[in-house]
RNA sequence: GGAGAGAUGGCCGAGUGGUCGAAGGCGCUCCCCUGCUAAGGGAGUAUAGGGUCAAAAGCUCUAUCGAGGGUUCGAAUCCCUCUCUCUCCGCCA
């Protein structure tokens, strides 16, 4: 949520900046609601003040044993008037909140302006895609030939966009998760947290998934809970409604969770394979920092995510998302895209964003500044990394002509020293 | 799931219809005193929003005693619903 003060003082400038991301702010409506709000609030508060004063007088009079019927008659009219005024204010405030919570974050000045993915700006490429001397196959074929990846059964158990993995592949996913968590906790200074996978609506409002993106969520209506679409939701909401001491900053959390997404509106996209699933594993990095530090924190966080890819020796590139492609709550986002040889392209494997105070304002997540005043935190997060897609990248980039998959050296310790996953090894294992 | 008890400021804790944003204590900040330390004295110490103002300061108003609703001229206090915590029983990983 944007600072309403900002809109009051310079709505034109805000609207202009929002238009760069394809959002048209209804200025007339905002100004009209603000006008109404102001009138109603002033009137309501004046009536409340009057009521309070009279009530106080009644109390004093009664204490002295005086007759209060005259004063009571005086306030008789107040009740209905106040009630009507309060109701009006509440209605307008509600409309204002609705308008406000539907406005996306304002992009930072250095975010490239553009309409879509096509206008994102590549920032750097790291690693060289491997040259294959045999026809590469995609991860689905790699996994199915090994007998370790099964979409048909998953569909029977559940429905489309789910997967069953077994044997060395299931273990490889677990190894990846462990590896990522270990790197972030021991080398990058994050505190590992374990969090709920079912969250309430307030948490989703806090990080900006609600009210706009209900369609993308799995919703357990009976229990008024939602399956998390990302660990960002429970982890960021750890500080909702809190005022954290300055000394505790920056807060750096890493969490491994499954993520659940309905993928409404993406029916034709990525229907094959594990790229787009209703359920996938992710290791998420979240930071809460002082406002002046959030941009350097974003660069650092991006580096932490990249560290996983370099350790796995997977080629990738970093792109700065343009205004039109950024997420609703973000002020600046970098995507990391990993090389997928079978698609002959780079695909998103991490998204690192600075939300500035946008989420913190919704959550009322604050810290006590050196001036002693509570101020809104800046929140950031990024995948470090999407485990499922990392698995895809390994299967494709590390595939061999004989159908086996080499295990990246940094993961071997997590797999009991196994160097290669092959059909034969699977057939002979205990 | 059943029975009971509770939720007040950074913390402890008083407050069962009136001058209560809330006694008292602890903690914290500033000042004074004390040649160190200890002790003592004084002042201050929630959050959000509105109005005034170019802005800030200041002044002023409103809201908030777990959350939401209700009764009342007036609610921390009475009523209803919900959430959470604790104790006992049951069940369970």
């Amino acid at each position: 949520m944007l600072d309403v003060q900002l809109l009051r003082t310079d709505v034109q400038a805000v609207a202009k900046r929002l238009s760069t991301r394809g959002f048209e702010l209804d200025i007339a409506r905002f100004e009209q609601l603000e006008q109404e709000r102001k009138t109603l609030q002033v009137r309501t508060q004046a009536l409340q003040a009057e009521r309070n004063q009279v009530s106080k007088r009644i109390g004093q009079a009664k204490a002295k044993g005086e007759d209060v019927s005259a004063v009571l008659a005086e306030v008789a009219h107040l009740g209905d008037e106040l009630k009507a005024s309060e109701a009006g204010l509440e209605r307008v405030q509600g409309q204002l909140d609705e308008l406000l919570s539907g406005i996306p974050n304002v992009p930072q000045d250095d975010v490239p302006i553009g309409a879509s993915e096509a206008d994102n700006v590549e920032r750097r490429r790291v690693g060289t895609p491997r040259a294959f001397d045999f026809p590469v196959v995609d991860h689905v074929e790699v996994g199915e030939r090994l007998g370790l990846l099964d979409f048909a059964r998953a569909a029977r158990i559940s429905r489309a966009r789910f997967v069953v993995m077994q044997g060395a592949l299931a273990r490889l996913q677990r190894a990846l998760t462990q590896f990522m968590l270990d790197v972030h906790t021991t080398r990058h200074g994050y505190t590992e947290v374990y969090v709920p996978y079912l969250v309430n609506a307030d948490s989703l409002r806090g990080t900006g998934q609600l009210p706009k993106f209900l369609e993308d969520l799995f919703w357990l209506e009976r229990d008024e809970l939602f399956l998390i679409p990302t660990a960002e939701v429970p982890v960021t909401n750890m500080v909702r409604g809190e005022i954290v001491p300055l000394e505790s900053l920056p807060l750096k959390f890493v969490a491994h969770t499954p993520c659940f997404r309905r993928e409404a509106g993406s029916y034709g996209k990525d229907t094959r394979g594990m790229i787009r699933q209703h359920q996938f594993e992710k290791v998420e990095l979240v930071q809460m920092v002082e406002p002046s530090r959030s941009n350097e924190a974003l660069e650092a966080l991006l580096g932490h995510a990249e560290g996983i890819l370099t350790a796995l020796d997977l080629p990738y590139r970093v792109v700065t998302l343009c205004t039109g492609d950024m997420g609703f709550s973000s002020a600046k986002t970098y995507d990391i895209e990993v090389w997928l040889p079978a698609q002959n392209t780079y695909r998103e494997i991490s998204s690192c964003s600075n939300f500035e105070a946008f989420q913190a304002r919704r959550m009322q997540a604050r810290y006590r500044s050196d001036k002693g005043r509570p101020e809104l935190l800046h929140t950031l997060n990024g995948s470090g990394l999407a485990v499922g897609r990392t698995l895809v990248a390994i299967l494709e980039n590390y595939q061999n002509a004989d159908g086996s998959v080499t295990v990246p050296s940094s993961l071997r310790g997590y797999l009991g020293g196994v160097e290669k996953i092959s059909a034969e090894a699977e057939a002979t294992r205990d």
Side-chain angles (χ1 to χ4, degrees), chain A residues 221-297:
Chain A
E221 195 169 359
R222 195 164 78 134
D223 297 290
E224 297 180 71
L225 291 168
F226 300 79
L227 280 163
I228 56 170
T230 160
E232 165 192 355
V233 179
V235 178
T236 310
N237 274 281
M238 293 222 303
V239 294
R240 171 152 58 88
E242 293 191 15
I243 301 173
V244 303
L246 183 62
E247 315 84 75
S248 68
L249 299 180
L251 292 169
K252 295 168 72 179
F253 297 117
V254 58
H256 158 241
T257 71
C259 303
F260 303 92
R261 300 186 181 177
R262 290 189 66 232
E263 295 298 343
S266 60
Y267 298 115
K269 274 188 238 166
D270 302 312
T271 49
R272 180 177 166 84
M274 287 204 294
I275 293 289
R276 193 175 298 274
Q277 297 272 291
H278 286 308
Q279 170 186 323
F280 61 95
E281 303 293 299
K282 188 153 61 74
V283 169
E284 185 78 0
L285 305 172
V286 175
Q287 294 198 28
M288 293 89 173
V289 305
E290 288 174 75
S292 62
R293 300 266 172 85
S294 66
N295 277 329
E296 64 184 83

Side-chain angles (χ1 to χ4, degrees), chain A residues 16-289:
Chain A
K16 197 173 163 198
R17 295 178 72 190
L18 285 171
S19 71
T20 66
R21 55 181 301 169
F23 182 86
E24 199 178 324
L25 182 62
D26 191 341
I27 296 176
R29 179 167 159 76
F30 173 76
E31 287 182 334
Q32 189 217 324
L33 284 171
E34 254 301 291
Q35 186 61 47
E36 285 180 41
R37 187 226 98 228
K38 195 161 161 175
T39 311
L40 281 165
Q41 184 163 355
V42 168
R43 190 164 81 218
T44 303
Q45 294 191 345
L47 288 168
Q48 286 170 331
E50 189 183 344
R51 178 204 60 199
N52 290 349
Q53 250 176 6
V54 173
S55 294
K56 203 171 267 189
R57 272 196 0 243
I58 292 173
Q60 289 166 340
K62 272 198 159 176
K64 291 183 207 148
E66 292 169 7
D67 177 38
V68 294
S69 53
V71 196
L72 278 176
E74 193 185 317
V75 285
H77 73 285
L78 265 178
D80 289 343
E81 216 177 313
L82 182 57
K83 207 166 267 180
S85 189
E86 280 175 339
L89 179 59
E90 197 179 326
R91 180 180 50 82
V92 171
Q93 198 61 257
Q95 290 173 339
L96 215 42
D97 286 347
E98 198 184 311
L99 178 74
L100 221 53
S101 62
I103 301 174
N105 204 353
V106 173
Q108 290 185 5
D109 288 331
D110 62 345
V111 171
I113 290 170
S116 74
E117 205 180 319
D119 300 315
N120 294 343
V121 175
E122 182 175 303
R123 206 173 125 156
R124 59 174 164 267
R125 276 181 200 219
V126 178
T128 312
R130 170 182 164 201
F132 290 90
D133 54 7
F134 58 92
V136 294
V137 296
D138 75 356
H139 69 278
V140 177
E141 205 166 330
V142 174
E144 288 183 341
R145 284 201 305 215
L146 288 166
L148 303 178
L149 197 57
D150 194 331
F151 292 97
R153 278 175 168 153
R156 187 172 71 217
I157 296 165
S158 184
R159 60 156 98 148
R161 288 203 193 284
F162 287 90
V163 70
V164 170
M165 287 183 261
Q166 47 183 304
L169 196 54
R171 190 178 182 190
L172 182 60
Q173 168 158 280
R174 179 160 55 87
L176 267 172
T177 306
Q178 296 281 79
F179 169 68
M180 292 180 193
L181 286 169
D182 285 349
V183 169
H184 294 311
T185 53
T186 63
R187 298 230 290 267
H188 300 147
Y190 289 81
T191 301
E192 184 171 352
V193 287
Y194 173 82
V195 292
Y197 301 160
L198 295 173
V199 296
N200 58 37
D202 283 339
S203 293
L204 287 155
R205 264 191 291 274
T207 35
Q209 281 78 14
L210 287 180
K212 270 200 97 172
F213 304 101
L214 176 64
E215 287 307 302
D216 298 331
L217 299 165
F218 285 107
W219 179 19
L220 286 72
E221 195 169 359
R222 195 164 78 134
D223 297 290
E224 297 180 71
L225 291 168
F226 300 79
L227 280 163
I228 56 170
T230 160
E232 165 192 355
V233 179
V235 178
T236 310
N237 274 281
M238 293 222 303
V239 294
R240 171 152 58 88
E242 293 191 15
I243 301 173
V244 303
L246 183 62
E247 315 84 75
S248 68
L249 299 180
L251 292 169
K252 295 168 72 179
F253 297 117
V254 58
H256 158 241
T257 71
C259 303
F260 303 92
R261 300 186 181 177
R262 290 189 66 232
E263 295 298 343
S266 60
Y267 298 115
K269 274 188 238 166
D270 302 312
T271 49
R272 180 177 166 84
M274 287 204 294
I275 293 289
R276 193 175 298 274
Q277 297 272 291
H278 286 308
Q279 170 186 323
F280 61 95
E281 303 293 299
K282 188 153 61 74
V283 169
E284 185 78 0
L285 305 172
V286 175
Q287 294 198 28
M288 293 89 173
V289 305

Side-chain angles (χ1 to χ4, degrees), chain A residues 145-148 402-405 421-429:
Chain A
R145 284 201 305 215
L146 288 166
L148 303 178
D402 63 1
S404 67
V405 174
I421 297 170
S422 64
E424 299 77 52
E426 280 301 301
T428 58
R429 97 199 140 84

Side-chain angles (χ1 to χ4, degrees), chain A residues 1-3 97 100-101 103 105 328 357-359 361-362:
Chain A
M1 192 152 66
L2 296 178
D3 184 358
D97 286 347
L100 221 53
S101 62
I103 301 174
N105 204 353
F328 179 77
F358 191 86
Q359 295 180 326
R361 189 170 293 108
R362 290 173 165 236

Side-chain angles (χ1 to χ4, degrees), chain A residues 129-130 132 134-143 145 272-273 275 315 338-347 392-399:
Chain A
R130 170 182 164 201
F132 290 90
F134 58 92
V136 294
V137 296
D138 75 356
H139 69 278
V140 177
E141 205 166 330
V142 174
R145 284 201 305 215
R272 180 177 166 84
I275 293 289
V338 69
W339 177 254
L340 293 187
Q343 294 192 9
N344 197 40
T345 189
Y346 290 95
R347 291 299 305 261
V392 168
I394 289 173
L395 291 182
E396 296 200 359
N397 284 282
Y398 282 87
Q399 64 180 291

